[in-house]
Amino acid sequence: MKIAIGSKNPAKIEAVQDVFARDEIISADASSKVSDQPFSDTETRQGAVNRAAGSLQAVSADIGIGLEGGVMYVDDKLYLCNWGALVTSDNVIFTGSGARVLLPKEIDNELKKGVELGDVMDDYAKRKDVRKKEGAIGIFTNDQISRKEMFVHVIKLLHGQLVYWQQP
């Protein structure tokens, strides 16, 4: 199978490669068409769907995959969230979401100023390119779960749905 992923981010590409190890993976620039920093489940999910559909427009493939990280509030507390979408060439859409962790109030304050989480995390963790490596999930789980592992879980949710619904 030929799979397009709507991202050039190494953590996202590696997650797709882990689950679809036997398939051809092609990364493509695909816009999320949402805010640089999505602030809800709805917006983050839509970004993933847009990236999946956009990857299929950019590359000839059997399926397109989009992965999007965002944040969302539960009551007045800010949580990390993430969504994935898989779009087939005949426009069937599967979505799934993964891990959530509470973010510190100082992260919330910076995001409200319009700074993207990846940039906030570099400053907060005093590291470079956190979004391409461990991600906020890695920082706040003390490296128990990396960004790649978080997205592997989401990709497995998408793959499982695809296989289930393709059964005769």
Side-chain angles (χ1 to χ4, degrees), residues 108-157:
D108 188 1
N109 294 337
E110 289 301 307
L111 294 179
K112 285 178 182 171
K113 294 177 187 175
V115 183
E116 202 174 330
L117 181 60
D119 297 325
V120 173
M121 289 308 303
D122 284 355
D123 288 340
Y124 184 88
K126 297 183 182 15
R127 299 182 187 179
K128 186 171 171 50
D129 291 328
V130 169
R131 78 182 77 200
K132 293 181 180 178
K133 298 174 187 166
E134 66 272 79
I137 193 83
I139 301 295
F140 295 120
T141 63
N142 200 37
D143 292 319
Q144 293 295 305
I145 301 290
S146 69
R147 190 165 198 234
K148 174 191 159 192
E149 291 170 317
M150 175 186 70
F151 280 129
V152 163
H153 181 252
V154 173
I155 298 294
K156 286 180 178 181
L157 294 171

mmCIF file of all heavy atoms in Angstrom, residues 108-157:
data_model
loop_
_atom_site.group_PDB
_atom_site.id
_atom_site.type_symbol
_atom_site.label_atom_id
_atom_site.label_comp_id
_atom_site.label_asym_id
_atom_site.label_seq_id
_atom_site.Cartn_x
_atom_site.Cartn_y
_atom_site.Cartn_z
ATOM 1 N N ASP A 108 0.050 27.388 29.840
ATOM 2 C CA ASP A 108 -1.248 27.966 29.482
ATOM 3 C C ASP A 108 -1.102 29.470 29.234
ATOM 4 O O ASP A 108 -1.574 29.997 28.233
ATOM 5 C CB ASP A 108 -2.242 27.683 30.611
ATOM 6 C CG ASP A 108 -3.681 28.059 30.286
ATOM 7 O OD1 ASP A 108 -3.962 28.527 29.165
ATOM 8 O OD2 ASP A 108 -4.539 27.877 31.165
ATOM 9 N N ASN A 109 -0.415 30.153 30.135
ATOM 10 C CA ASN A 109 -0.244 31.607 30.010
ATOM 11 C C ASN A 109 0.480 31.985 28.720
ATOM 12 O O ASN A 109 0.097 32.946 28.054
ATOM 13 C CB ASN A 109 0.512 32.171 31.222
ATOM 14 C CG ASN A 109 -0.288 32.048 32.505
ATOM 15 O OD1 ASN A 109 -1.508 31.942 32.486
ATOM 16 N ND2 ASN A 109 0.409 32.051 33.624
ATOM 17 N N GLU A 110 1.524 31.248 28.366
ATOM 18 C CA GLU A 110 2.282 31.548 27.139
ATOM 19 C C GLU A 110 1.442 31.268 25.889
ATOM 20 O O GLU A 110 1.486 32.027 24.927
ATOM 21 C CB GLU A 110 3.588 30.744 27.096
ATOM 22 C CG GLU A 110 4.625 31.217 28.092
ATOM 23 C CD GLU A 110 5.015 32.668 27.880
ATOM 24 O OE1 GLU A 110 5.395 33.033 26.746
ATOM 25 O OE2 GLU A 110 4.943 33.458 28.846
ATOM 26 N N LEU A 111 0.687 30.184 25.908
ATOM 27 C CA LEU A 111 -0.149 29.852 24.750
ATOM 28 C C LEU A 111 -1.219 30.915 24.528
ATOM 29 O O LEU A 111 -1.543 31.248 23.388
ATOM 30 C CB LEU A 111 -0.794 28.476 24.921
ATOM 31 C CG LEU A 111 0.170 27.283 24.938
ATOM 32 C CD1 LEU A 111 -0.605 25.985 25.148
ATOM 33 C CD2 LEU A 111 1.005 27.213 23.676
ATOM 34 N N LYS A 112 -1.754 31.459 25.607
ATOM 35 C CA LYS A 112 -2.757 32.519 25.499
ATOM 36 C C LYS A 112 -2.185 33.782 24.860
ATOM 37 O O LYS A 112 -2.916 34.585 24.302
ATOM 38 C CB LYS A 112 -3.344 32.844 26.876
ATOM 39 C CG LYS A 112 -4.317 31.796 27.364
ATOM 40 C CD LYS A 112 -4.827 32.146 28.742
ATOM 41 C CE LYS A 112 -5.763 31.090 29.262
ATOM 42 N NZ LYS A 112 -6.106 31.293 30.673
ATOM 43 N N LYS A 113 -0.872 33.940 24.919
ATOM 44 C CA LYS A 113 -0.200 35.083 24.280
ATOM 45 C C LYS A 113 -0.002 34.854 22.784
ATOM 46 O O LYS A 113 0.512 35.712 22.094
ATOM 47 C CB LYS A 113 1.160 35.332 24.939
ATOM 48 C CG LYS A 113 1.097 35.779 26.368
ATOM 49 C CD LYS A 113 2.517 35.907 26.926
ATOM 50 C CE LYS A 113 2.511 36.180 28.411
ATOM 51 N NZ LYS A 113 3.890 36.170 28.962
ATOM 52 N N GLY A 114 -0.339 33.644 22.314
ATOM 53 C CA GLY A 114 -0.209 33.356 20.890
ATOM 54 C C GLY A 114 1.050 32.590 20.511
ATOM 55 O O GLY A 114 1.333 32.392 19.329
ATOM 56 N N VAL A 115 1.812 32.131 21.491
ATOM 57 C CA VAL A 115 3.026 31.362 21.216
ATOM 58 C C VAL A 115 2.628 29.898 21.018
ATOM 59 O O VAL A 115 1.796 29.359 21.755
ATOM 60 C CB VAL A 115 4.053 31.500 22.366
ATOM 61 C CG1 VAL A 115 5.338 30.762 22.040
ATOM 62 C CG2 VAL A 115 4.324 32.965 22.672
ATOM 63 N N GLU A 116 3.215 29.238 20.031
ATOM 64 C CA GLU A 116 2.906 27.837 19.731
ATOM 65 C C GLU A 116 3.554 26.926 20.786
ATOM 66 O O GLU A 116 4.649 27.211 21.279
ATOM 67 C CB GLU A 116 3.441 27.506 18.340
ATOM 68 C CG GLU A 116 2.772 26.326 17.707
ATOM 69 C CD GLU A 116 3.225 26.105 16.275
ATOM 70 O OE1 GLU A 116 3.580 27.072 15.577
ATOM 71 O OE2 GLU A 116 3.220 24.933 15.869
ATOM 72 N N LEU A 117 2.896 25.811 21.100
ATOM 73 C CA LEU A 117 3.359 24.903 22.148
ATOM 74 C C LEU A 117 4.789 24.440 21.916
ATOM 75 O O LEU A 117 5.585 24.383 22.854
ATOM 76 C CB LEU A 117 2.425 23.698 22.281
ATOM 77 C CG LEU A 117 2.792 22.679 23.366
ATOM 78 C CD1 LEU A 117 2.805 23.321 24.747
ATOM 79 C CD2 LEU A 117 1.835 21.503 23.341
ATOM 80 N N GLY A 118 5.156 24.102 20.692
ATOM 81 C CA GLY A 118 6.519 23.653 20.418
ATOM 82 C C GLY A 118 7.562 24.677 20.835
ATOM 83 O O GLY A 118 8.602 24.337 21.410
ATOM 84 N N ASP A 119 7.284 25.944 20.558
ATOM 85 C CA ASP A 119 8.210 27.016 20.946
ATOM 86 C C ASP A 119 8.227 27.205 22.455
ATOM 87 O O ASP A 119 9.292 27.412 23.054
ATOM 88 C CB ASP A 119 7.822 28.327 20.256
ATOM 89 C CG ASP A 119 7.926 28.216 18.736
ATOM 90 O OD1 ASP A 119 8.824 27.509 18.247
ATOM 91 O OD2 ASP A 119 7.095 28.847 18.053
ATOM 92 N N VAL A 120 7.069 27.119 23.081
ATOM 93 C CA VAL A 120 6.991 27.238 24.535
ATOM 94 C C VAL A 120 7.784 26.107 25.186
ATOM 95 O O VAL A 120 8.534 26.325 26.142
ATOM 96 C CB VAL A 120 5.519 27.217 25.023
ATOM 97 C CG1 VAL A 120 5.448 27.175 26.545
ATOM 98 C CG2 VAL A 120 4.754 28.412 24.485
ATOM 99 N N MET A 121 7.647 24.908 24.645
ATOM 100 C CA MET A 121 8.323 23.749 25.239
ATOM 101 C C MET A 121 9.837 23.857 25.136
ATOM 102 O O MET A 121 10.551 23.439 26.046
ATOM 103 C CB MET A 121 7.832 22.446 24.596
ATOM 104 C CG MET A 121 6.411 22.076 24.975
ATOM 105 S SD MET A 121 6.077 22.065 26.760
ATOM 106 C CE MET A 121 7.299 20.894 27.347
ATOM 107 N N ASP A 122 10.351 24.380 24.022
ATOM 108 C CA ASP A 122 11.805 24.565 23.902
ATOM 109 C C ASP A 122 12.316 25.451 25.033
ATOM 110 O O ASP A 122 13.322 25.131 25.680
ATOM 111 C CB ASP A 122 12.165 25.185 22.549
ATOM 112 C CG ASP A 122 12.100 24.192 21.397
ATOM 113 O OD1 ASP A 122 11.864 22.990 21.639
ATOM 114 O OD2 ASP A 122 12.284 24.631 20.245
ATOM 115 N N ASP A 123 11.626 26.562 25.288
ATOM 116 C CA ASP A 123 12.027 27.468 26.370
ATOM 117 C C ASP A 123 11.835 26.814 27.740
ATOM 118 O O ASP A 123 12.714 26.866 28.592
ATOM 119 C CB ASP A 123 11.234 28.777 26.312
ATOM 120 C CG ASP A 123 11.652 29.660 25.144
ATOM 121 O OD1 ASP A 123 12.767 29.476 24.603
ATOM 122 O OD2 ASP A 123 10.849 30.542 24.769
ATOM 123 N N TYR A 124 10.670 26.188 27.923
ATOM 124 C CA TYR A 124 10.325 25.594 29.217
ATOM 125 C C TYR A 124 11.317 24.490 29.610
ATOM 126 O O TYR A 124 11.784 24.442 30.748
ATOM 127 C CB TYR A 124 8.904 25.024 29.165
ATOM 128 C CG TYR A 124 8.412 24.465 30.471
ATOM 129 C CD1 TYR A 124 7.784 25.285 31.400
ATOM 130 C CD2 TYR A 124 8.574 23.122 30.779
ATOM 131 C CE1 TYR A 124 7.331 24.782 32.610
ATOM 132 C CE2 TYR A 124 8.125 22.606 31.986
ATOM 133 C CZ TYR A 124 7.507 23.435 32.896
ATOM 134 O OH TYR A 124 7.065 22.936 34.090
ATOM 135 N N ALA A 125 11.634 23.619 28.647
ATOM 136 C CA ALA A 125 12.500 22.464 28.931
ATOM 137 C C ALA A 125 13.979 22.776 28.730
ATOM 138 O O ALA A 125 14.828 21.938 29.022
ATOM 139 C CB ALA A 125 12.096 21.291 28.046
ATOM 140 N N LYS A 126 14.264 23.977 28.191
ATOM 141 C CA LYS A 126 15.638 24.367 27.864
ATOM 142 C C LYS A 126 16.278 23.328 26.944
ATOM 143 O O LYS A 126 17.407 22.882 27.151
ATOM 144 C CB LYS A 126 16.459 24.601 29.130
ATOM 145 C CG LYS A 126 15.885 25.756 29.951
ATOM 146 C CD LYS A 126 16.695 26.071 31.160
ATOM 147 C CE LYS A 126 16.140 27.179 32.012
ATOM 148 N NZ LYS A 126 14.796 27.622 31.850
ATOM 149 N N ARG A 127 15.510 22.954 25.909
ATOM 150 C CA ARG A 127 15.959 22.004 24.882
ATOM 151 C C ARG A 127 15.621 22.584 23.521
ATOM 152 O O ARG A 127 14.879 23.548 23.410
ATOM 153 C CB ARG A 127 15.265 20.653 25.057
ATOM 154 C CG ARG A 127 15.562 19.988 26.387
ATOM 155 C CD ARG A 127 14.899 18.641 26.485
ATOM 156 N NE ARG A 127 15.048 18.084 27.814
ATOM 157 C CZ ARG A 127 14.550 16.920 28.178
ATOM 158 N NH1 ARG A 127 13.865 16.177 27.331
ATOM 159 N NH2 ARG A 127 14.719 16.475 29.404
ATOM 160 N N LYS A 128 16.120 21.968 22.476
ATOM 161 C CA LYS A 128 15.872 22.436 21.114
ATOM 162 C C LYS A 128 15.063 21.396 20.351
ATOM 163 O O LYS A 128 15.314 20.197 20.466
ATOM 164 C CB LYS A 128 17.211 22.690 20.411
ATOM 165 C CG LYS A 128 17.095 23.325 19.044
ATOM 166 C CD LYS A 128 18.463 23.730 18.544
ATOM 167 C CE LYS A 128 18.482 24.181 17.115
ATOM 168 N NZ LYS A 128 17.549 25.150 16.688
ATOM 169 N N ASP A 129 14.094 21.861 19.589
ATOM 170 C CA ASP A 129 13.266 21.003 18.727
ATOM 171 C C ASP A 129 12.503 19.918 19.488
ATOM 172 O O ASP A 129 12.385 18.786 19.023
ATOM 173 C CB ASP A 129 14.103 20.360 17.614
ATOM 174 C CG ASP A 129 14.587 21.370 16.588
ATOM 175 O OD1 ASP A 129 13.860 22.365 16.347
ATOM 176 O OD2 ASP A 129 15.680 21.161 16.026
ATOM 177 N N VAL A 130 11.944 20.271 20.630
ATOM 178 C CA VAL A 130 11.158 19.326 21.423
ATOM 179 C C VAL A 130 10.044 18.715 20.567
ATOM 180 O O VAL A 130 9.772 17.520 20.643
ATOM 181 C CB VAL A 130 10.590 20.010 22.691
ATOM 182 C CG1 VAL A 130 9.558 19.137 23.383
ATOM 183 C CG2 VAL A 130 11.723 20.370 23.648
ATOM 184 N N ARG A 131 9.412 19.519 19.700
ATOM 185 C CA ARG A 131 8.296 19.033 18.866
ATOM 186 C C ARG A 131 8.721 17.926 17.902
ATOM 187 O O ARG A 131 7.891 17.144 17.457
ATOM 188 C CB ARG A 131 7.636 20.180 18.118
ATOM 189 C CG ARG A 131 8.413 20.648 16.909
ATOM 190 C CD ARG A 131 7.813 21.804 16.195
ATOM 191 N NE ARG A 131 8.105 23.011 16.961
ATOM 192 C CZ ARG A 131 7.454 24.137 16.857
ATOM 193 N NH1 ARG A 131 6.498 24.271 16.002
ATOM 194 N NH2 ARG A 131 7.770 25.163 17.599
ATOM 195 N N LYS A 132 9.995 17.868 17.549
ATOM 196 C CA LYS A 132 10.489 16.859 16.617
ATOM 197 C C LYS A 132 11.066 15.649 17.340
ATOM 198 O O LYS A 132 11.445 14.671 16.713
ATOM 199 C CB LYS A 132 11.564 17.451 15.698
ATOM 200 C CG LYS A 132 11.009 18.501 14.755
ATOM 201 C CD LYS A 132 12.099 19.042 13.860
ATOM 202 C CE LYS A 132 11.530 20.083 12.916
ATOM 203 N NZ LYS A 132 12.588 20.655 12.063
ATOM 204 N N LYS A 133 11.140 15.737 18.656
ATOM 205 C CA LYS A 133 11.748 14.659 19.436
ATOM 206 C C LYS A 133 10.735 14.120 20.447
ATOM 207 O O LYS A 133 9.747 13.511 20.069
ATOM 208 C CB LYS A 133 13.017 15.165 20.114
ATOM 209 C CG LYS A 133 14.083 15.612 19.105
ATOM 210 C CD LYS A 133 15.259 16.244 19.804
ATOM 211 C CE LYS A 133 16.235 16.841 18.804
ATOM 212 N NZ LYS A 133 17.184 17.730 19.427
ATOM 213 N N GLU A 134 10.975 14.394 21.730
ATOM 214 C CA GLU A 134 10.140 13.816 22.776
ATOM 215 C C GLU A 134 8.767 14.456 22.901
ATOM 216 O O GLU A 134 7.834 13.847 23.398
ATOM 217 C CB GLU A 134 10.856 13.855 24.123
ATOM 218 C CG GLU A 134 11.112 15.257 24.685
ATOM 219 C CD GLU A 134 12.405 15.885 24.228
ATOM 220 O OE1 GLU A 134 12.461 16.392 23.079
ATOM 221 O OE2 GLU A 134 13.356 15.900 25.013
ATOM 222 N N GLY A 135 8.639 15.707 22.461
ATOM 223 C CA GLY A 135 7.370 16.403 22.560
ATOM 224 C C GLY A 135 7.041 16.775 23.993
ATOM 225 O O GLY A 135 7.720 16.362 24.940
ATOM 226 N N ALA A 136 5.984 17.559 24.141
ATOM 227 C CA ALA A 136 5.526 17.937 25.481
ATOM 228 C C ALA A 136 5.170 16.692 26.287
ATOM 229 O O ALA A 136 5.434 16.627 27.492
ATOM 230 C CB ALA A 136 4.324 18.875 25.382
ATOM 231 N N ILE A 137 4.612 15.687 25.621
ATOM 232 C CA ILE A 137 4.244 14.443 26.312
ATOM 233 C C ILE A 137 5.470 13.788 26.940
ATOM 234 O O ILE A 137 5.408 13.273 28.050
ATOM 235 C CB ILE A 137 3.476 13.474 25.374
ATOM 236 C CG1 ILE A 137 2.825 12.335 26.148
ATOM 237 C CG2 ILE A 137 4.370 12.894 24.294
ATOM 238 C CD1 ILE A 137 1.510 12.677 26.748
ATOM 239 N N GLY A 138 6.597 13.826 26.253
ATOM 240 C CA GLY A 138 7.836 13.256 26.784
ATOM 241 C C GLY A 138 8.354 14.022 27.977
ATOM 242 O O GLY A 138 8.790 13.430 28.974
ATOM 243 N N ILE A 139 8.276 15.340 27.888
ATOM 244 C CA ILE A 139 8.736 16.176 29.002
ATOM 245 C C ILE A 139 7.884 15.913 30.240
ATOM 246 O O ILE A 139 8.407 15.640 31.319
ATOM 247 C CB ILE A 139 8.661 17.680 28.641
ATOM 248 C CG1 ILE A 139 9.522 18.001 27.413
ATOM 249 C CG2 ILE A 139 9.017 18.556 29.849
ATOM 250 C CD1 ILE A 139 10.997 17.823 27.568
ATOM 251 N N PHE A 140 6.564 15.939 30.072
ATOM 252 C CA PHE A 140 5.677 15.860 31.233
ATOM 253 C C PHE A 140 5.363 14.439 31.690
ATOM 254 O O PHE A 140 4.658 14.257 32.687
ATOM 255 C CB PHE A 140 4.404 16.670 30.988
ATOM 256 C CG PHE A 140 4.692 18.139 30.859
ATOM 257 C CD1 PHE A 140 4.376 18.822 29.708
ATOM 258 C CD2 PHE A 140 5.317 18.830 31.888
ATOM 259 C CE1 PHE A 140 4.657 20.179 29.578
ATOM 260 C CE2 PHE A 140 5.616 20.181 31.767
ATOM 261 C CZ PHE A 140 5.286 20.852 30.606
ATOM 262 N N THR A 141 5.899 13.433 30.990
ATOM 263 C CA THR A 141 5.813 12.056 31.493
ATOM 264 C C THR A 141 7.199 11.542 31.869
ATOM 265 O O THR A 141 7.388 10.343 32.035
ATOM 266 C CB THR A 141 5.177 11.094 30.464
ATOM 267 O OG1 THR A 141 6.014 11.026 29.300
ATOM 268 C CG2 THR A 141 3.770 11.508 30.109
ATOM 269 N N ASN A 142 8.160 12.463 31.994
ATOM 270 C CA ASN A 142 9.530 12.096 32.354
ATOM 271 C C ASN A 142 10.084 11.033 31.399
ATOM 272 O O ASN A 142 10.681 10.050 31.811
ATOM 273 C CB ASN A 142 9.604 11.628 33.813
ATOM 274 C CG ASN A 142 11.011 11.705 34.354
ATOM 275 O OD1 ASN A 142 11.750 12.623 34.033
ATOM 276 N ND2 ASN A 142 11.387 10.736 35.176
ATOM 277 N N ASP A 143 9.826 11.246 30.108
ATOM 278 C CA ASP A 143 10.288 10.366 29.020
ATOM 279 C C ASP A 143 9.699 8.956 29.069
ATOM 280 O O ASP A 143 10.239 8.033 28.462
ATOM 281 C CB ASP A 143 11.826 10.305 28.966
ATOM 282 C CG ASP A 143 12.426 11.625 28.532
ATOM 283 O OD1 ASP A 143 11.869 12.257 27.606
ATOM 284 O OD2 ASP A 143 13.456 12.032 29.107
ATOM 285 N N GLN A 144 8.580 8.788 29.759
ATOM 286 C CA GLN A 144 7.902 7.487 29.743
ATOM 287 C C GLN A 144 7.189 7.262 28.413
ATOM 288 O O GLN A 144 7.068 6.130 27.953
ATOM 289 C CB GLN A 144 6.904 7.386 30.901
ATOM 290 C CG GLN A 144 7.542 7.367 32.260
ATOM 291 C CD GLN A 144 8.379 6.122 32.470
ATOM 292 O OE1 GLN A 144 7.907 5.013 32.314
ATOM 293 N NE2 GLN A 144 9.636 6.309 32.818
ATOM 294 N N ILE A 145 6.675 8.334 27.813
ATOM 295 C CA ILE A 145 5.990 8.283 26.522
ATOM 296 C C ILE A 145 6.564 9.408 25.657
ATOM 297 O O ILE A 145 6.551 10.564 26.072
ATOM 298 C CB ILE A 145 4.461 8.507 26.671
ATOM 299 C CG1 ILE A 145 3.832 7.460 27.566
ATOM 300 C CG2 ILE A 145 3.772 8.564 25.302
ATOM 301 C CD1 ILE A 145 3.777 6.071 27.001
ATOM 302 N N SER A 146 7.054 9.061 24.482
ATOM 303 C CA SER A 146 7.562 10.082 23.563
ATOM 304 C C SER A 146 6.441 10.536 22.626
ATOM 305 O O SER A 146 5.392 9.888 22.524
ATOM 306 C CB SER A 146 8.721 9.534 22.733
ATOM 307 O OG SER A 146 8.238 8.560 21.811
ATOM 308 N N ARG A 147 6.688 11.614 21.923
ATOM 309 C CA ARG A 147 5.712 12.105 20.946
ATOM 310 C C ARG A 147 5.469 11.036 19.872
ATOM 311 O O ARG A 147 4.344 10.794 19.467
ATOM 312 C CB ARG A 147 6.211 13.413 20.323
ATOM 313 C CG ARG A 147 5.153 14.090 19.481
ATOM 314 C CD ARG A 147 5.541 15.517 19.184
ATOM 315 N NE ARG A 147 4.363 16.268 18.766
ATOM 316 C CZ ARG A 147 4.289 16.957 17.638
ATOM 317 N NH1 ARG A 147 5.325 17.031 16.834
ATOM 318 N NH2 ARG A 147 3.186 17.599 17.336
ATOM 319 N N LYS A 148 6.539 10.392 19.432
ATOM 320 C CA LYS A 148 6.402 9.323 18.446
ATOM 321 C C LYS A 148 5.514 8.205 18.997
ATOM 322 O O LYS A 148 4.582 7.758 18.328
ATOM 323 C CB LYS A 148 7.773 8.763 18.069
ATOM 324 C CG LYS A 148 7.692 7.552 17.153
ATOM 325 C CD LYS A 148 9.033 6.879 17.017
ATOM 326 C CE LYS A 148 8.849 5.466 16.553
ATOM 327 N NZ LYS A 148 10.043 4.654 16.658
ATOM 328 N N GLU A 149 5.778 7.756 20.219
ATOM 329 C CA GLU A 149 4.975 6.678 20.817
ATOM 330 C C GLU A 149 3.516 7.076 20.964
ATOM 331 O O GLU A 149 2.614 6.266 20.741
ATOM 332 C CB GLU A 149 5.539 6.278 22.178
ATOM 333 C CG GLU A 149 6.872 5.580 22.118
ATOM 334 C CD GLU A 149 7.504 5.416 23.485
ATOM 335 O OE1 GLU A 149 7.470 6.362 24.298
ATOM 336 O OE2 GLU A 149 8.039 4.320 23.727
ATOM 337 N N MET A 150 3.288 8.332 21.332
ATOM 338 C CA MET A 150 1.921 8.828 21.461
ATOM 339 C C MET A 150 1.210 8.716 20.110
ATOM 340 O O MET A 150 0.075 8.264 20.028
ATOM 341 C CB MET A 150 1.951 10.277 21.947
ATOM 342 C CG MET A 150 0.601 10.958 22.011
ATOM 343 S SD MET A 150 0.755 12.707 22.431
ATOM 344 C CE MET A 150 1.487 13.360 20.929
ATOM 345 N N PHE A 151 1.911 9.128 19.036
ATOM 346 C CA PHE A 151 1.303 9.063 17.713
ATOM 347 C C PHE A 151 1.217 7.634 17.181
ATOM 348 O O PHE A 151 0.318 7.319 16.409
ATOM 349 C CB PHE A 151 2.015 9.999 16.737
ATOM 350 C CG PHE A 151 1.587 11.440 16.868
ATOM 351 C CD1 PHE A 151 2.529 12.446 17.011
ATOM 352 C CD2 PHE A 151 0.249 11.808 16.838
ATOM 353 C CE1 PHE A 151 2.146 13.778 17.125
ATOM 354 C CE2 PHE A 151 -0.150 13.133 16.960
ATOM 355 C CZ PHE A 151 0.799 14.117 17.095
ATOM 356 N N VAL A 152 2.134 6.741 17.585
ATOM 357 C CA VAL A 152 2.013 5.320 17.204
ATOM 358 C C VAL A 152 0.677 4.787 17.707
ATOM 359 O O VAL A 152 -0.033 4.078 16.983
ATOM 360 C CB VAL A 152 3.194 4.474 17.739
ATOM 361 C CG1 VAL A 152 2.871 2.982 17.700
ATOM 362 C CG2 VAL A 152 4.465 4.749 16.954
ATOM 363 N N HIS A 153 0.317 5.119 18.928
ATOM 364 C CA HIS A 153 -0.954 4.679 19.504
ATOM 365 C C HIS A 153 -2.123 5.160 18.641
ATOM 366 O O HIS A 153 -3.044 4.400 18.325
ATOM 367 C CB HIS A 153 -1.074 5.206 20.938
ATOM 368 C CG HIS A 153 -2.324 4.803 21.617
ATOM 369 N ND1 HIS A 153 -3.347 5.695 21.870
ATOM 370 C CD2 HIS A 153 -2.742 3.617 22.099
ATOM 371 C CE1 HIS A 153 -4.333 5.063 22.476
ATOM 372 N NE2 HIS A 153 -3.999 3.812 22.625
ATOM 373 N N VAL A 154 -2.084 6.426 18.244
ATOM 374 C CA VAL A 154 -3.152 6.989 17.412
ATOM 375 C C VAL A 154 -3.186 6.295 16.052
ATOM 376 O O VAL A 154 -4.264 5.953 15.552
ATOM 377 C CB VAL A 154 -2.976 8.523 17.264
ATOM 378 C CG1 VAL A 154 -3.970 9.097 16.269
ATOM 379 C CG2 VAL A 154 -3.131 9.202 18.620
ATOM 380 N N ILE A 155 -2.026 6.060 15.455
ATOM 381 C CA ILE A 155 -1.959 5.379 14.151
ATOM 382 C C ILE A 155 -2.533 3.960 14.267
ATOM 383 O O ILE A 155 -3.237 3.487 13.377
ATOM 384 C CB ILE A 155 -0.514 5.323 13.614
ATOM 385 C CG1 ILE A 155 0.049 6.715 13.393
ATOM 386 C CG2 ILE A 155 -0.437 4.510 12.327
ATOM 387 C CD1 ILE A 155 -0.618 7.507 12.316
ATOM 388 N N LYS A 156 -2.257 3.282 15.366
ATOM 389 C CA LYS A 156 -2.828 1.941 15.572
ATOM 390 C C LYS A 156 -4.353 2.010 15.642
ATOM 391 O O LYS A 156 -5.047 1.123 15.133
ATOM 392 C CB LYS A 156 -2.264 1.293 16.835
ATOM 393 C CG LYS A 156 -0.836 0.816 16.667
ATOM 394 C CD LYS A 156 -0.329 0.179 17.953
ATOM 395 C CE LYS A 156 1.072 -0.352 17.798
ATOM 396 N NZ LYS A 156 1.552 -0.982 19.044
ATOM 397 N N LEU A 157 -4.889 3.052 16.276
ATOM 398 C CA LEU A 157 -6.340 3.230 16.321
ATOM 399 C C LEU A 157 -6.905 3.393 14.907
ATOM 400 O O LEU A 157 -7.944 2.822 14.563
ATOM 401 C CB LEU A 157 -6.712 4.448 17.165
ATOM 402 C CG LEU A 157 -6.416 4.389 18.659
ATOM 403 C CD1 LEU A 157 -6.639 5.743 19.301
ATOM 404 C CD2 LEU A 157 -7.251 3.318 19.332
#
